[in-house]
Amino acid sequence: MIRLLSYAVVVLGLALGFSWLADRPGQMTILWQSQRIEMSLMVAAALVVALVGLLLFVWWLVRLVWTSPKAASRYFRARKRDRGYQALSTGLIAAGAGNAPLALKMAERTRSLISADQEPLIHLLEAQASLIKGDHDGARQKFEAMTEDPETRELGLRGLFMEAKRAGADEAAEHYATQAVERAPYLPWASQAVLEYRTRAGDYDRALDILAKQRASNSTGGRDTSREKAVLLTARAGARLDSDPKAAREDALQALKLSPALVPAAVIAAKAWFREDNLRRGSAVLEQVWKLEPHPEIAEIYVRARSGDSALDRLKRAERLESLKPDNPVGLAAVARAALDARLFEKAREKAEAALTRDPREGILLLLADIEEAETGDQARVRHYLSAALRAPRDPAWIVDGLVSERWQPLSPVSGELGAFVWKAPYTQGDATVAHLLEDLPPPPPPVQSQSHVEDMLELDAPPPMTATTSPQPGSGLTETAERPERDATVVPFFGHPPDDPGVRDSSKAAEPEKKRKPLF
């Protein structure tokens, strides 16, 4: 464009010049070698312009002849380079498609047409071709050669890192990732790998520093860095809890500011407060997180905050926690366990059955079995609850990448992702209900009344039990009957029997109608 404008300006200048001379005619006389030459000024100007043009043409012709060998060499070299780049492009496409023979062929052709010093991508093509062929040693040699070139150093380090990961050499992979971070902190793959390795090694200070550099360089890739920082702070707090409870508490509280519903951080902060005998602040932290995320571990720490508390004191604390989140199955189960420890079986059973109604789970049914074992010792009823527990959905646990863990960890052992652990059930069985859990199971026998219990009823002027037949309620689906002991009958303790053995029926009462057994729920 600039050259075209230059030509236009020159032509316009010549036209203006000749126009100016045409308006001012004159004569020019030249005496040279006794010769007199006369011409008009316009002709003289035209001759001068023609002479200059002739000189320029001659100069161009001489220059063309002089530089023709170099121009011819440049032409053939450019043609060869174009063919080499075409082969390189074809080879990279073939390598990406997994066509090893074509990739190797194009790699050889590219090296014969282009020098590797001029085009570093030749090393990449050869390395990819070696990988497709299965020559991992040759590929590593190519990647190592790429690390010596500043233009391909990062690419070579990534290739060596991937090869080390493939071979299971974690130390070598960490070494290459660390080198890449030192030279280019903005590389997401390198910083993320070093972050994973430092977290796995327990070097949380270095991990937090790398995470801060990622956020500063905006190379997080859209990840929730606040959540990751909270996870790292929680992990560091857990590591410091025994040696420096104050520092652990500060880290845990800072993690709660970033992620208010992070249960492990709340537990660590509360433990740190409790070790300083500060029950009020520790309980306040647990209550704050409990309102957002009711968790069994929070309930356990909250109820047993003071080691010297009695069972009744622990029950009061459990009721206080349950009142913060009414009708929550986790809180109801916590009250039931505390009531069981306090030997308040009626309250324990009531809370456990309420929790089972709201969230049928294996743990609640096992709790009911413990209550039955402690209260009556009726093995038939205990086995009844245990059988239902086998069919109930499992209790929530810490899940990550399909694995179930007994405790929370900051890093996934499978994928290496930070904060990947979630609290949920290992698997679901649909919308389970109490009726579904207890279907196809024989209903438990009625609780056995002891002789002292009958005497207490007589002292309280309770209405005497009578032998009667109760018709089944409509829609109940139950047809079994049960007998009530008479006032003067002697109650024989029941020591249990196999669930499939109804025992020996008394022949004297064989003809008596049986009363329908009431459903458990």
Side-chain angles (χ1 to χ4, degrees):
M1 185 67 182
I2 297 177
R3 182 177 298 179
L4 181 61
L5 291 176
S6 301
Y7 287 154
V9 170
V10 171
V11 172
L12 182 60
L14 291 175
L16 291 176
F18 281 107
S19 176
W20 185 79
L21 289 177
D23 293 338
R24 294 167 179 80
Q27 293 290 327
M28 177 180 290
T29 302
I30 299 176
L31 295 175
W32 186 62
Q33 295 292 326
S34 300
Q35 297 291 330
R36 181 183 180 92
I37 303 173
E38 293 183 357
M39 65 184 71
S40 65
L41 190 59
M42 180 65 71
V43 175
L47 290 175
V48 170
V49 172
L51 180 60
V52 171
L54 180 62
L55 291 176
L56 291 176
F57 175 76
V58 172
W59 170 254
W60 173 80
L61 186 60
V62 171
R63 185 170 175 270
L64 179 63
V65 174
W66 181 263
T67 60
S68 58
K70 185 181 293 185
S73 176
R74 187 185 304 113
Y75 168 76
F76 289 110
R77 187 167 59 250
R79 184 182 178 187
K80 183 179 179 180
R81 184 180 64 249
D82 293 341
R83 291 170 56 198
Y85 277 111
Q86 182 64 36
L88 177 61
S89 176
T90 305
L92 290 175
I93 294 174
N99 190 348
L102 182 58
L104 292 172
K105 180 180 179 181
M106 291 297 104
E108 295 178 358
R109 180 179 298 179
T110 303
R111 180 169 286 277
S112 63
L113 296 175
I114 307 176
S115 174
D117 298 334
Q118 298 176 355
E119 184 49 63
L121 285 178
I122 296 178
H123 294 299
L124 176 61
L125 176 58
E126 293 177 347
Q128 294 294 331
S130 300
L131 289 176
I132 297 175
K133 188 174 61 175
D135 185 10
H136 295 281
D137 294 335
R140 282 194 294 269
Q141 294 177 1
K142 298 299 180 182
F143 287 130
E144 290 175 357
M146 293 170 67
T147 57
E148 299 176 358
D149 190 349
E151 295 182 357
T152 58
R153 180 177 291 116
E154 300 173 5
L155 184 58
L157 289 173
R158 178 169 173 78
L160 292 173
F161 170 77
M162 297 300 294
E163 281 299 297
K165 290 281 288 184
R166 183 198 59 80
D170 291 336
E171 295 183 0
E174 181 181 0
H175 171 71
Y176 294 129
T178 304
Q179 283 188 347
V181 168
E182 291 175 354
R183 290 177 170 83
Y186 51 83
L187 290 175
W189 68 268
S191 58
Q192 187 65 21
V194 176
L195 180 64
E196 174 186 344
Y197 286 119
R198 291 299 89 207
T199 304
R200 197 184 301 275
D203 188 2
Y204 302 113
D205 295 333
R206 174 63 174 162
L208 286 169
D209 182 61
I210 293 174
L211 183 61
K213 290 182 179 179
Q214 283 185 340
R215 299 178 65 177
S217 61
N218 197 19
S219 60
T220 58
R223 305 195 318 271
D224 187 1
T225 55
S226 298
R227 167 77 177 179
E228 292 183 350
K229 184 177 180 181
V231 169
L232 290 175
L233 288 172
T234 303
R236 188 171 69 176
R240 291 179 174 181
L241 182 60
D242 295 332
S243 59
D244 191 356
K246 184 177 180 180
R249 185 184 69 240
E250 296 299 327
D251 285 342
L253 292 177
Q254 186 177 357
L256 286 176
K257 291 181 180 179
L258 297 173
S259 183
L262 190 57
V263 173
V267 171
I268 293 173
K271 287 182 178 179
W273 282 120
F274 293 155
R275 292 189 180 186
E276 297 179 2
D277 295 330
N278 196 330
L279 182 64
R280 182 179 61 84
R281 290 191 176 182
S283 300
V285 171
L286 293 177
E287 291 174 359
Q288 179 182 0
V289 180
W290 174 268
K291 295 176 182 178
L292 300 175
E293 186 69 26
H295 195 277
E297 191 172 358
I298 293 180
E300 180 71 17
I301 299 298
Y302 187 89
V303 171
R304 301 183 180 274
R306 290 180 300 201
S307 58
D309 284 350
S310 64
L312 290 178
D313 292 334
R314 292 197 295 270
L315 177 58
K316 292 179 181 179
R317 290 185 61 82
E319 291 176 342
R320 160 66 181 169
L321 190 65
E322 192 269 335
S323 65
L324 299 177
K325 196 82 172 177
D327 295 331
N328 184 270
V330 181
L332 293 172
V335 176
R337 289 188 180 90
L340 175 61
D341 294 339
R343 310 294 293 178
L344 299 177
F345 301 116
E346 183 178 355
K347 189 178 188 65
R349 186 183 299 276
E350 176 187 356
K351 295 295 183 179
E353 291 176 354
L356 185 65
T357 304
R358 289 161 177 78
D359 187 18
R361 292 289 177 186
E362 174 187 9
I364 301 177
L365 288 166
L366 294 177
L367 177 59
L368 283 169
D370 292 338
I371 295 172
E372 192 67 41
E373 175 74 21
E375 182 181 8
T376 65
D378 189 343
Q379 296 301 314
R381 294 176 65 89
V382 171
R383 286 193 293 269
H384 174 75
Y385 287 119
L386 294 178
S387 299
L390 291 175
R391 305 174 62 184
R394 297 177 61 184
D395 291 339
W398 291 112
I399 307 296
V400 59
D401 296 328
L403 299 180
V404 181
S405 177
E406 296 182 356
R407 60 186 180 87
W408 177 87
Q409 298 179 19
L411 197 70
S412 169
V414 179
S415 62
E417 181 182 357
L418 273 176
F421 277 82
V422 293
W423 181 258
K424 65 178 183 179
Y427 59 88
T428 59
Q429 294 181 350
D431 297 332
T433 61
V434 177
H436 173 69
L437 294 178
L438 302 179
E439 68 181 1
D440 299 335
L441 289 173
V448 179
Q449 296 178 344
S450 63
Q451 181 68 28
S452 62
H453 178 71
V454 176
E455 294 175 356
D456 293 340
M457 292 179 62
L458 294 177
E459 292 177 358
L460 295 175
D461 295 329
M466 300 177 61
T467 303
T469 302
T470 304
S471 60
Q473 299 178 0
S476 63
L478 299 177
T479 59
E480 297 186 6
T481 59
E483 297 180 355
R484 294 184 180 180
E486 299 182 355
R487 178 185 296 269
D488 297 333
T490 302
V491 178
V492 180
F494 176 74
F495 296 99
H497 50 71
D500 55 350
D501 182 10
V504 179
R505 183 182 296 272
D506 190 357
S507 60
S508 62
K509 298 182 180 180
E512 294 182 5
E514 296 181 346
K515 177 186 174 183
K516 185 193 70 171
R517 176 173 297 150
K518 295 182 179 180
L520 182 60
F521 299 101

